[in-house]
Amino acid sequence: MLAAHRTMFTALLASSALIAPPVFAKDAPAQAPAAAAPAEQDQATVPDIVVTAQKRSESLQSVPISIVALTSVKLDQLNVTDFNSYAALLPSVTFQTSQPGTTNVYIRGIASGGDGNHSGPLPSVGVYLDEQPVTTIGGTIDVHIYDVARIESLAGPQGTLYGASSEAGTIRIITNKPDMSGFYGKVDGEVNAVAHGGIGGKLEGFVNVPLASNIAFRGVGWYQRNAGYIDNIPGSRTYVKPKLDGAGNIIHDANGNVVTVPGITVNNAAFVKNNYNDVEIAGGRAALQIDLDDGWTVTPTVLAQDQHNHGFFGADLSLPGLSVQHFYPEYQHDRFIQAALTIQGKLGNWDLTYAGAYFDRKLHTSSDYTDYAESYDSLYSSAGGLAGYFYYQDNAGKTIDPRQLIIGYDHFTKHSEEFRVASPTSDRFRVVAGLFYQRQTHLIHQDYQVPGLGAQVSVNGYPGTLWLTQQDRVDRDYAMFGEASFDITPRLTLTAGGRAFIYDNTLIGFFGFGRNPGSGYTDSPFNGAGSSKTGVIQCFTTTGAPLGLNKSGTLLPASVPGGPCTNLGVFNTATGKIDPKVASGQGFTHKLNLTWKPTEGVLLYGTWSRGFRPGGINRRGTVAPYAPDYLTNYEIGFKTTLFNKSVRLNGAFYLQDWAHFQFAYLGQNSFTEVHNGPNARVKGVEIDATWTPIRQLSISASGAYTDAKTRQNLCTYDDPAYACTNIDPGTGNLNSVSAAKGTRLPVTPRFKMSANARYTMPLGAGNGHIQALVNHQSSASTDIRTINNAITGQLGAFTTADFRVGYDWGNYSAELFVQNAFDERGQLSRLVECSICTRTYAVITTPRTIGFKVGAKF
């Protein structure tokens, strides 16, 4: 298949080259050599790209950072509309995803897996929308890409200028701003059909309106429907129950195991549906630019988006085709709004910038969790299955259907403020310096429901709820930062930077099962799971003792509204109240860079830099807080503009040491725990090239090689020596090796590349074009732990190809396209729904999509 793709791509480029001479001959007839187009008319140059990666506007070729910049033109030409479509074009970027809007992003292989849990580590990659970080624990927001000036991917630690969540790199989405030049706008519409799926489409547009000589407004709106292609097919589940003798006693076999017979049988007839996983997105952006005078500009901006995901986005690999068998409603409603204010001005010849923003995101989800019941029924079959081992019963004590669903409400907020100054770029000694503050909150509600579960065995006050998480997490960051550059000679520049930071993270609330209140909390069963140690029994009473040690005491009220009580926090003896658990610290990250421009069009650089990620809190009281992890980067790179500016070739070689990386996993009783693991080393190469041999033809390619491995054993339990032979004091279990020294870090493929070619030709009253895009990535593991990776399986290598043909005339355009032309089943992620679940799901590339797009400018 890969060979076929390469052959197709090569043929397209060859045909483009063959088409070129007749076009030129038509423009300049051979019989009139005096009128022939001179060489300088045919000569093309790669366009210069202006970026703001270093907090000031500079040419891409002058910035000594490994950057891939996707311009507004490129985004439009490649029909980039969402995270998946632009991430495919960024060779150092990889990700794990379960559905749109629930995505964890990684750069240069800095991934240990297990991220994204509400009680897990902060991300290692910062995502910025204009000047504000919009990274959240729940996953990178999937902003609709339209009327965007560019997307910048900054590889390697950006901790000096961008802070905590930019340990491995930063992705910046920069929107187009209002301008005073005139009234104009654009409208685009598209309809498409997905193979094995439904019909989708989108409608989007923008308008730029000068309101006065110094005021302009820009409004953008969009609606998109992504067709589904996964079917929820008919299925049933039968759960076992103990076999009883005539006297009603449980029968055991010769080994003492419970003999079982078929019990409750359920089916999913009410939820069977084709093209189950569709998405609807609507949103808009409004910006106002006010030029107060020649030196000062104020730009308020508001962006809002409302996204409805329906169904499940992974295909069950044990079932035929692209299908699942799920038994409860599944959806995700993702709403977010960002209000931002940027003020830019001059004080003398220094640039001053203030950037403040408030971000609010609400997620409402419903997830089928039938796989949990299926797997645990099998696990406990020797005890009579779930019916014999647990207490899934109604108020009358009758065994009920054990299936679960998870209802989630997550509310994120983020408030950030940054003030910085920058000296003139023409000075020999240049400085960028500033102050940064950020406060982000996450109100967490995860309700694991067993419909019909009796009140006595449910979470107290929540009939039907087996397990509840109701927590409030707050992460605060304070920093001062700066970078100074000095031109040692006109061609040699030294840059030094640093960031001093303080982090302060808190967590408070409730998690766990209920407790049967009968007879002073001593009646059995204690709860649906029969747990005697987790949940309400650990909640604080008025004396500060947990309920388990003070059953006659009075529970303190819930610290987080919506919870039954509080078992996650610290009792304050002075106030008699519960304070949040706290993890705090401070530190310093650095950057040192030497840049040399030996000749015009050539830049060479070397960088030594460091990034960090704050530590945090484990919910389980017996597990210590996890410490920050740090990434040290050693990098040499080059940026070149060659052959009369017709070729741009940039690249970087790097070695990164990741110290005591944070690793999240499901520990005892399926609690998420975060520990600091061993060290890892990543070695890699990045290349980004653009060639415009003639004005009508542009060819671009980018690629990355990433070799990321552990440097010591990853142990099942903490062991500072990494020998994995000690006894864990918390469980009393003998330690073991989860991943041996030299294990590849998960998610990131060794090779990832993207290449595209576009040929434009005069045709009648307008211009026609043909275009091809090829994306390829090699295989990758899904989990760093050897056994777990064997269960979920490897992500296989895959290649996709897109083709487009279109015509532009006047203010109008039309285009026919096919994406994933060869209908490749590329696996983006693999997942299971619980720690012992055996059904593996694969989130795949969207099947072959054929569409038609039209646009009009005004």
Side-chain angles (χ1 to χ4, degrees), residues 70 75 80 82-90 127 145 151 171 173:
L70 304 175
L75 294 170
V80 171
D82 56 18
F83 173 83
N84 282 14
S85 55
Y86 71 73
L89 307 173
L90 305 175
V127 178
I145 304 300
I151 295 175
I171 296 174
I173 302 170

Side-chain angles (χ1 to χ4, degrees), residues 145-468:
I145 304 300
Y146 186 74
D147 193 40
V148 166
R150 65 188 177 279
I151 295 175
E152 298 175 6
S153 174
L154 287 57
Q158 306 298 323
T160 302
L161 294 180
Y162 292 97
S165 286
S166 291
E167 177 184 40
T170 302
I171 296 174
R172 306 181 66 231
I173 302 170
I174 296 96
T175 61
N176 282 317
K177 305 301 185 292
D179 72 75
M180 319 296 175
S181 64
F183 173 85
Y184 60 91
K186 185 182 181 184
V187 176
D188 291 289
E190 177 187 310
V191 63
N192 57 63
V194 177
H196 328 288
I199 303 297
K202 62 185 178 183
L203 181 66
E204 50 198 2
F206 78 88
V207 62
N208 186 88
V209 184
L211 302 177
S213 61
N214 65 329
I215 303 175
F217 167 83
R218 196 177 191 100
V220 187
W222 57 85
Y223 171 80
Q224 179 171 335
R225 184 182 188 280
N226 297 337
Y229 47 86
I230 292 176
D231 300 333
N232 193 17
I233 63 175
S236 63
R237 300 286 184 269
T238 297
Y239 302 98
V240 299
K241 65 179 181 179
K243 185 177 181 179
L244 305 179
D245 61 20
N249 299 312
I250 296 175
I251 300 175
H252 295 79
D253 63 17
N255 297 317
N257 297 323
V258 175
V259 177
T260 61
V261 294
I264 294 173
T265 296
V266 296
N267 64 62
N268 67 343
F271 303 102
V272 170
K273 183 181 178 181
N274 290 335
N275 309 327
Y276 185 53
N277 61 321
D278 60 278
V279 181
E280 289 187 275
I281 306 165
R285 186 175 73 245
L288 194 68
Q289 182 164 309
I290 306 170
D291 292 344
L292 301 178
D293 57 30
D294 290 340
W296 288 86
T297 299
V298 177
T299 309
T301 305
V302 176
L303 180 146
Q305 183 168 294
D306 189 293
Q307 178 169 317
H308 291 262
N309 299 347
H310 306 113
F312 191 76
F313 288 77
D316 187 337
L317 298 180
S318 68
L319 297 176
L322 300 177
S323 61
V324 295
Q325 289 178 340
H326 282 188
F327 294 76
Y328 277 123
E330 294 185 289
Y331 56 81
Q332 176 171 289
H333 186 193
D334 185 358
R335 294 167 291 163
F336 58 82
I337 184 169
Q338 182 210 44
L341 176 66
T342 302
I343 303 174
Q344 296 172 303
K346 285 188 174 293
L347 188 61
N349 59 356
W350 283 61
D351 294 323
L352 279 67
T353 301
Y354 164 80
Y358 182 80
F359 174 78
D360 188 290
R361 183 186 191 191
K362 295 182 176 73
L363 280 171
H364 177 204
T365 60
S366 176
S367 305
D368 179 75
Y369 205 39
T370 299
D371 288 4
Y372 178 94
E374 178 185 31
S375 298
Y376 274 88
D377 194 58
S378 174
L379 178 68
Y380 294 126
S381 60
S382 62
L386 291 174
Y389 192 82
F390 286 157
Y391 303 92
Y392 293 171
Q393 56 193 35
D394 60 19
N395 286 325
K398 181 181 177 182
T399 298
I400 61 173
D401 174 3
R403 290 175 300 151
Q404 293 184 42
L405 75 157
I406 307 170
I407 302 297
Y409 296 94
D410 292 272
H411 186 192
F412 304 87
T413 69
K414 187 185 289 272
H415 172 211
S416 65
E417 310 268 356
E418 179 172 310
F419 174 76
R420 65 178 183 269
V421 297
S423 62
T425 57
S426 58
D427 288 357
R428 185 179 183 187
F429 179 74
R430 303 175 295 281
V431 174
V432 175
L435 302 171
F436 176 80
Y437 164 75
Q438 175 179 269
R439 182 180 187 271
Q440 51 185 331
T441 68
H442 182 189
L443 181 61
I444 306 156
H445 174 87
Q446 296 288 313
D447 186 349
Y448 291 71
Q449 299 181 359
V450 179
L453 190 68
Q456 298 297 91
V457 291
S458 298
V459 172
N460 302 57
Y462 290 85
T465 293
L466 177 67
W467 172 286
L468 180 69

Side-chain angles (χ1 to χ4, degrees), residues 492-567:
L492 187 65
T493 301
L494 178 66
T495 299
R499 188 181 189 97
F501 63 86
I502 299 172
Y503 68 88
D504 181 14
N505 304 333
T506 63
L507 187 63
I508 190 170
F510 173 84
F511 65 98
F513 302 107
R515 181 72 176 199
N516 190 332
S519 303
Y521 297 100
T522 61
D523 276 3
S524 180
F526 298 138
N527 45 59
S531 173
S532 61
K533 297 181 179 179
T534 303
V536 170
I537 197 66
Q538 293 293 337
C539 281
F540 290 98
T541 61
T542 52
T543 65
L547 181 64
L549 299 179
N550 184 23
K551 290 188 176 67
S552 61
T554 302
L555 287 170
L556 283 169
S559 299
V560 179
C565 49
T566 302
N567 60 8

Side-chain angles (χ1 to χ4, degrees), residues 9-67:
F9 184 59
T10 304
L12 179 72
L13 296 185
S15 65
S16 299
L18 291 173
I19 292 171
V23 172
F24 294 141
K26 182 178 179 181
D27 290 345
Q31 64 268 29
E40 57 268 23
Q41 285 185 303
D42 296 339
Q43 181 65 53
T45 60
V46 292
D48 189 33
I49 300 174
V50 175
V51 298
T52 52
Q54 296 190 124
K55 305 281 189 176
R56 60 167 94 223
S57 296
E58 303 169 283
S59 168
L60 173 69
Q61 297 306 94
S62 300
V63 179
I65 299 174
S66 181
I67 306 175

